[in-house]
Amino acid sequence: MDVMIIKGGTPLNGSVATSGAKNAALPLLFATLLAEGEHSFLNVPFLKDIDSTELLLNHLNCKTYRDGEQFKVLVKKPESIVAPYDIVRKMRASILCLGPLLARYGEAKVSLPGGCAIGSRPINLHIEPLRQLGAEIEIENGYVIARANKLVGDRIVFDFATVGGTENIMMAASLCQGETILENVAKEPEIVDLAQCLRGMGAKIEGEGSSVITIEGVDELTPANHRVIPDRIEAGTLLIAGAITGGDVKVTNCVPKDIDSLINKLVDCGFSIETGSDWVRVRPCAQWSAVDVDTAPHPGFPTDLQAQFMALMTQAKGTSVITERIFENRFMHVQELARMGANITPKSQVSVVRGEKGGLSSAPVMATDLRASASLILAALATDGETKVSRIYHLDRGYENLEVKLQGLGGQIERCS
């Protein structure tokens, strides 16, 4: 099993480009199930979650392959509409095959999904809207079994702004009979990207990026030809890496407005931030101030950057209060940061971080989930010793060659078996 060895104390400097967005690419690849034929995507990252998606698509009779910079999916009618446990258990996003399979072929049998253990993320946010569209759904032996002769459009109001639920129903509603109105939907950039791709396939969708999305169902869709948006979470992680090491880092191939909430917090801390059309630069700050953070649905502060920002706050002057409002179990990195000397008092949904510049020390730590692994690497970069981070297979689910990108900025980080 691979580990990451980090020798901290070196400011990061230079320019680094982000890869394609994991959280955009996954629903886009599952959307291919809506239309038989060859789909083509650009900017699809090399990630374990992409590999898991390929395994599932291959099981559903699709052929996936890379042709230069293009990622292609050849979709044929599946011989089986079952998404098995052995594949689905590896990745929460696997549930996104449910809506497309049901809408395209009238049935689906999908295992209850796995992924990072950061919260319950209830499956009913996918199931109940599909029932409203006319699906008959049962849960038996750990599988969601869904059937529908023809889905029919309806008005659906989500209990809260769920990203995965919004994506699943958007895809299903694209082939519904009649109009579907989705209210209280997620507004994330990944939702907008999916809508644009579906529209390119022939779907009639309006309102993405707002709280209401309207979809007029069509009889069939055509294969996609689409470029995946840059990964805003990776961009934010790299920006924080520059900040926590006192470096000067320019993050390119990104969309600055997609991480406005992070940029604003960094400015509040005292960092000097510059932005361009597709880049963000953080300049060195001798001592930054502590600020409070509440995670929230987009355009609020992303839950996927909470752990990384907490690492930054361990080195801030003062006390910060970090409140997690999206997932109920997303402070598992706290105990590992504490092993490195961080002064953090965790409660159920709140952590109080008492920052101290130079207060972290090297220690062997263990990643518990995708974003926690990034947090520990950032913290290690701020120490003066050598830190070993184990269980980094979590990192590989969502970051493409992160250690190589940090090395390019001068970071002393190495992957070892």
Side-chain angles (χ1 to χ4, degrees):
M1 185 178 295
D2 286 358
V3 298
M4 208 74 85
I5 306 296
I6 302 106
K7 294 180 181 179
T10 302
L12 301 183
N13 291 287
S15 179
V16 59
T18 63
S19 301
K22 173 185 86 82
N23 291 336
L26 299 181
L28 291 171
L29 294 181
F30 284 118
T32 62
L33 295 169
L34 292 166
E36 294 177 20
E38 188 175 73
H39 302 251
S40 180
F41 299 93
L42 292 172
N43 207 31
V44 174
F46 289 83
L47 303 171
K48 289 296 184 184
D49 274 10
I50 298 296
D51 295 342
S52 297
T53 301
E54 286 192 77
L55 282 176
L56 183 49
L57 290 174
N58 294 161
H59 177 81
L60 295 170
N61 204 32
C62 301
K63 180 182 179 182
T64 58
Y65 61 100
R66 291 184 185 263
D67 181 10
E69 295 184 354
Q70 298 183 77
F71 186 103
K72 294 190 176 183
V73 184
L74 179 59
V75 179
K76 296 181 288 184
K77 185 176 181 179
E79 297 174 359
S80 167
I81 45 75
V82 177
Y85 169 75
D86 283 345
I87 299 176
V88 174
R89 67 180 174 84
K90 301 176 183 178
M91 184 182 64
R92 182 76 187 182
S94 299
I95 193 64
L96 294 178
C97 71
L98 177 61
L101 285 175
L102 181 62
R104 183 71 180 83
Y105 301 108
E107 57 180 338
K109 183 178 180 180
V110 182
S111 172
L112 294 172
C116 286
I118 57 175
S120 60
R121 297 190 280 188
I123 199 71
N124 65 295
L125 296 172
H126 301 254
I127 291 175
E128 292 306 321
L130 289 173
R131 282 183 173 141
Q132 281 187 250
L133 297 178
E136 296 180 0
I137 300 179
E138 299 175 349
I139 298 180
E140 295 180 357
N141 303 98
Y143 279 82
V144 179
I145 302 173
R147 298 180 181 86
N149 290 329
K150 182 66 178 177
L151 296 177
V152 179
D154 200 352
R155 175 176 174 262
I156 294 171
V157 181
F158 287 99
D159 290 341
F160 62 88
T162 161
V163 175
T166 300
E167 291 167 341
N168 228 338
I169 308 309
M170 282 172 62
M171 291 187 284
S174 295
L175 290 179
C176 268
Q177 178 180 317
E179 183 182 70
T180 300
I181 299 174
L182 307 180
E183 299 184 17
N184 194 29
V185 297
K187 304 174 184 176
E188 273 70 5
E190 295 79 15
I191 297 290
V192 175
D193 198 37
L194 176 60
Q196 292 174 347
C197 178
L198 290 172
R199 199 154 40 235
M201 295 169 66
K204 297 179 179 179
I205 299 178
E206 296 180 354
E208 70 274 8
S210 74
S211 59
V212 179
I213 294 177
T214 302
I215 304 167
E216 183 68 35
V218 297
D219 291 333
E220 63 178 1
L221 297 172
T222 57
N225 190 343
H226 187 77
R227 183 179 183 86
V228 180
I229 60 172
D231 195 316
R232 61 193 174 99
I233 304 303
E234 184 192 13
T237 301
L238 292 169
L239 207 60
I240 295 173
I244 199 171
T245 61
D248 185 338
V249 171
K250 181 178 182 180
V251 181
T252 63
N253 187 38
C254 66
V255 183
K257 68 179 180 61
D258 287 349
I259 53 171
D260 271 347
S261 58
L262 171 63
I263 291 172
N264 292 337
K265 287 296 181 182
L266 290 175
V267 171
D268 290 344
C269 288
F271 289 98
S272 174
I273 304 291
E274 300 173 9
T275 62
S277 60
D278 62 352
W279 58 268
V280 182
R281 181 180 183 181
V282 59
R283 291 184 176 275
C285 181
Q287 178 62 73
W288 52 95
S289 301
V291 298
D292 296 341
V293 161
D294 283 36
T295 64
H298 190 77
F301 194 92
T303 181
D304 280 353
L305 285 174
Q306 177 256 107
Q308 300 92 309
F309 196 81
M310 184 181 290
L312 181 68
M313 289 299 94
T314 66
Q315 301 296 286
K317 181 179 180 180
T319 299
S320 58
V321 177
I322 297 179
T323 305
E324 175 57 54
R325 300 190 184 278
I326 306 299
F327 296 119
E328 72 275 14
N329 195 26
R330 203 159 202 179
F331 283 147
M332 290 188 291
H333 49 280
V334 169
Q335 61 185 5
E336 298 303 303
L337 288 172
R339 284 177 52 78
M340 300 177 71
N343 186 348
I344 305 173
T345 303
K347 299 186 183 299
S348 59
Q349 297 296 106
V350 176
S351 282
V352 179
V353 185
R354 296 170 180 86
E356 180 186 356
K357 189 69 177 290
L360 294 178
S361 59
S362 59
V365 291
M366 179 177 66
T368 54
D369 60 71
L370 169 56
R371 305 307 174 185
S373 60
S375 170
L376 297 177
I377 288 172
L378 297 183
L381 289 169
T383 71
D384 289 328
E386 182 176 282
T387 299
K388 180 174 76 172
V389 182
S390 60
R391 295 180 67 180
I392 61 166
Y393 56 83
H394 290 293
L395 187 78
D396 296 333
R397 288 188 49 233
Y399 289 94
E400 181 180 73
N401 298 324
L402 182 62
E403 71 274 18
V404 175
K405 293 183 179 184
L406 293 174
Q407 288 167 359
L409 296 171
Q412 299 184 63
I413 177 171
E414 183 180 0
R415 180 186 293 259
C416 303
S417 296

